[in-house]
Amino acid sequence: MVAVPVRNEVDRIGACLRALAGQEGIGAGALGVVLFLNNCTDGTAEAVADLARPLGLPLRVIEREYPGAQAGWARREAMEAAAAWLGEGTAEGVILTTDADSRVPPDWVARNLAALARGADAVAGRIALDG
């Protein structure tokens, strides 16, 4: 499960979702994505709606308007929603998180799962900025 806080990312959310949909080394349908759209005013919700079906990615979109929102709150809400989704099933799961303006590499999920399987308590990565 991947939790993604989103605020006004109409220009970048497509690349983020395509990168998540293109994950390699995991079973088909093994990845669900929660998008927590907080205080979006730029058409992000519409862009997500246009992308959802063609990508074939299990996706839950939550939209909230909250005047006191900040990045930490939005990430927590996204992760809580992902945990609730996992709680609906019978299998244990892992929650990963990334940002809506990011493009994870094709082996991101598989590498994180492998590190956790080797006993890691947490996994973090570096960010390479576009030029």
Side-chain angles (χ1 to χ4, degrees), residues 36-55:
F36 186 82
L37 281 60
N38 103 79
N39 298 331
C40 289
T41 59
D42 70 344
T44 298
E46 293 81 3
V48 168
D50 289 344
L51 290 165
R53 180 165 285 135
L55 289 175

Side-chain angles (χ1 to χ4, degrees), residues 11-89:
D11 294 330
R12 294 189 177 107
I13 194 65
C16 174
L17 290 175
R18 284 188 291 278
L20 290 170
Q23 290 299 295
E24 301 166 352
I26 59 173
L31 184 64
V33 177
V34 171
L35 296 179
F36 186 82
L37 281 60
N38 103 79
N39 298 331
C40 289
T41 59
D42 70 344
T44 298
E46 293 81 3
V48 168
D50 289 344
L51 290 165
R53 180 165 285 135
L55 289 175
L57 193 61
L59 186 65
R60 288 197 180 175
V61 179
I62 300 165
E63 293 184 64
R64 294 270 167 77
E65 290 186 26
Y66 179 60
Q70 37 82 5
W73 172 83
R75 187 169 313 279
R76 184 188 72 227
E77 292 294 314
M79 293 181 79
E80 290 288 342
W85 191 0
L86 283 175
E88 294 173 12

Side-chain angles (χ1 to χ4, degrees), residues 1-6 16 20 23 31-36 71-83 86 93-105 108-109 112-113 116 122-127:
M1 187 72 54
V2 179
V4 185
V6 183
C16 174
L20 290 170
Q23 290 299 295
L31 184 64
V33 177
V34 171
L35 296 179
F36 186 82
W73 172 83
R75 187 169 313 279
R76 184 188 72 227
E77 292 294 314
M79 293 181 79
E80 290 288 342
L86 283 175
V94 171
I95 299 172
L96 304 175
T97 187
T98 189
D99 292 320
D101 60 354
S102 298
R103 294 180 316 271
V104 297
W108 180 70
V109 171
N112 276 278
L113 294 176
L116 293 168
V123 181
R126 67 182 177 88
I127 298 170

